[in-house]
Amino acid sequence: PVNIPGFNEEPKPQVPFEDIEMELRTMREVADPDQVGVLDDDALLKCTSAISIEWEHTLAKYTSRGLPHDETALALAAVGDNEETVRMFVDGFIKMKELGFLPPAIIGALIVNNNLVSPAIDTVVP
């Protein structure tokens, strides 16, 4: 099995995804390990600000089609703007969260397993 960071962490209270610190932490958790730390917080904030209008428009496109806001935002950060992969990621994320897995473990497992739920579960279950 692949070691997914955050799998054994205690659950944290849910907070709105609009929290920029959470977005930055999520970007770091999802990022390629070789790229973590390449940009400092100020550079990440500038990048986030520059794309925020386009990001919100893209996010609104999916939420207007019935996808949940927070899970869709994670999907866009993890897999990019591709409707099929965003929907697969969101569906898989929701299923795995209902099973009790923590978000960082879910995100990593879905990315590694091309959004396929059964292999993703196998990845996080020791």
Side-chain angles (χ1 to χ4, degrees):
V2 176
N3 182 16
I4 305 295
F7 178 67
N8 293 320
E9 292 178 6
E10 290 293 317
K12 296 178 180 139
Q14 295 289 331
V15 294
F17 198 78
E18 288 81 20
D19 178 348
I20 191 68
E21 290 302 315
M22 181 182 159
E23 289 185 60
L24 291 172
R25 282 191 306 274
T26 301
M27 283 191 271
R28 286 189 197 97
E29 290 169 358
V30 172
D32 178 355
D34 294 334
Q35 297 300 313
V36 172
V38 172
L39 295 176
D40 61 16
D41 287 346
D42 290 335
L44 284 172
L45 283 170
K46 288 176 185 172
C47 291
T48 303
S49 296
I51 63 167
S52 64
I53 293 172
E54 182 178 341
W55 172 265
E56 287 300 324
H57 175 72
T58 303
L59 183 56
K61 173 178 75 173
Y62 289 101
T63 57
S64 70
R65 296 175 184 163
L67 292 176
H69 183 276
D70 292 356
E71 290 82 353
T72 303
L74 288 171
L76 288 169
V79 299
D81 183 9
N82 176 294
E83 187 164 356
E84 182 179 349
T85 55
V86 166
R87 285 186 180 278
M88 285 180 66
F89 184 94
V90 168
D91 291 344
F93 186 92
I94 291 169
K95 287 176 188 172
M96 290 182 72
K97 191 170 182 183
E98 288 171 353
L99 292 171
F101 295 103
L102 297 175
I106 297 169
I107 294 166
L110 287 172
I111 290 170
V112 168
N113 292 286
N114 296 317
N115 301 318
L116 300 173
V117 175
S118 291
I121 291 171
D122 292 340
T123 299
V124 295
V125 174

